[in-house]
Amino acid sequence: MRRPVVIPGRQTQAMAIIIVLTVMFGLVFSVFYQGSAAVLGPLETKYKVVVDAGHGGYDPGAITKQGVYEKEINLEMAKRVKELLEPAGIEVILTREEDIDYVPEGVRGRQSKKQADLNHRISLAAEAEADTLISLHLNATPSGRNTGAETFYYFDSEEGKRLAETIQQELIKVPGMNRRIAKPGDFYLIKNAPMPAVIVELGYISNPKELARLRQSWYQDQLAQAVAKGVANYFGLP
């Protein structure tokens, strides 16, 4: 006598489909989760950078015969560098976002005012627990013949040196740029900052030809990209 053949009903078929779909969903979710973790992994490491637009307020920095103030170009460059670093997962804090200084009322004397202003910028970076401090400037000489960007680090800071070198290596790639190397310096800001700090002189405002480029948006973009790439390289980011 033959055994009866059991034909699955709709309820049994539906249950089987649910089981299959559940297993498939679990596999897809697992792959998606692992893939997402791999993509988002690098962004989990957050770095914090303070970008200082040199001078400002009472202190114009270098001034050209045409009345161009260094402090104005410094601020524009700081904003451009910030825009480039933030998409890489780097938190950027600007020491100033307008034409101001940080000299308390009552402070007199050029040296005292300058030191008070710099102390505020250093404190801002320290309170933010920044990983690096990048101060942007323009250079000037009486002769007006010098050109090119150069980056300075405090001579007693190994990490400051490494940061300066990674930035300078990108700056010399800008078309027409002099091939200078990063240099040690004893400047107040980089000496007293509690984190790796550098001063980036983006060019010579005293040279007429370089000044013309420094005022152009396309050249500012090239310089900002070089600085941002150097900072990213320092942190090991793509």
Side-chain angles (χ1 to χ4, degrees):
M1 181 177 180
R2 293 183 180 179
R3 294 181 181 180
V5 178
V6 179
I7 301 175
R10 292 182 178 178
Q11 188 174 3
T12 305
Q13 291 177 334
M15 183 63 69
I17 292 173
I18 291 174
I19 293 172
V20 172
L21 289 176
T22 301
V23 173
M24 291 177 63
F25 177 80
L27 291 172
V28 171
F29 178 79
S30 176
V31 172
F32 175 79
Y33 177 79
Q34 292 178 6
S36 297
V39 172
L40 297 177
L43 296 183
E44 292 176 0
T45 301
K46 280 284 186 177
Y47 297 102
K48 190 178 296 184
V49 174
V50 169
V51 177
D52 171 46
H55 306 285
Y58 86 95
D59 178 12
I63 306 174
T64 70
K65 295 178 180 179
Q66 299 83 2
V68 178
Y69 290 1
E70 175 193 348
K71 65 178 181 179
E72 296 174 352
I73 298 179
N74 292 345
L75 180 57
E76 177 60 29
M77 290 302 306
K79 292 178 179 179
R80 289 174 185 259
V81 171
K82 179 181 180 180
E83 290 176 357
L84 292 170
L85 286 176
E86 287 183 328
I90 298 175
E91 180 181 350
V92 179
I93 300 170
L94 298 182
T95 57
R96 64 184 182 93
E97 299 188 48
E98 55 185 323
D99 184 18
I100 58 173
D101 60 72
Y102 298 103
V103 180
E105 291 186 14
V107 176
R108 296 289 184 270
R110 179 180 178 182
Q111 190 63 30
S112 296
K113 292 170 69 174
K114 187 64 179 177
Q115 185 169 322
D117 184 52
L118 292 177
N119 282 338
H120 179 91
R121 299 174 196 233
I122 293 170
S123 296
L124 188 154
E127 291 171 5
E129 297 183 343
D131 296 292
T132 60
L133 170 59
I134 318 292
S135 187
L136 304 180
H137 290 260
L138 296 175
N139 225 328
T141 57
S143 68
R145 290 193 295 267
N146 296 58
T147 63
E150 46 195 335
T151 309
F152 294 91
Y153 61 91
Y154 184 55
F155 65 88
D156 199 30
S157 172
E158 286 299 319
E159 283 302 303
K161 178 180 180 182
R162 188 168 72 86
L163 174 61
E165 288 175 342
T166 58
I167 293 175
Q168 189 64 27
Q169 285 168 5
E170 293 301 319
L171 283 169
I172 63 176
K173 295 177 184 178
V174 174
M177 185 68 69
N178 290 356
R179 299 188 63 81
R180 290 191 173 95
I181 61 173
K183 300 176 182 178
D186 193 21
F187 302 107
Y188 188 88
L189 184 79
I190 57 178
K191 178 179 180 179
N192 292 280
M195 71 287 297
V198 297
I199 290 177
V200 184
E201 300 280 359
L202 294 164
Y204 281 79
I205 196 172
S206 54
N207 182 279
K209 291 183 178 180
E210 189 153 73
L211 172 62
R213 292 197 301 272
L214 287 166
R215 299 181 71 184
Q216 297 297 315
S217 179
W218 61 268
Y219 191 67
Q220 292 178 359
D221 282 340
Q222 289 185 352
L223 293 173
Q225 288 167 9
V227 173
K229 179 61 176 173
V231 174
N233 289 344
Y234 173 78
F235 289 126
L237 300 174

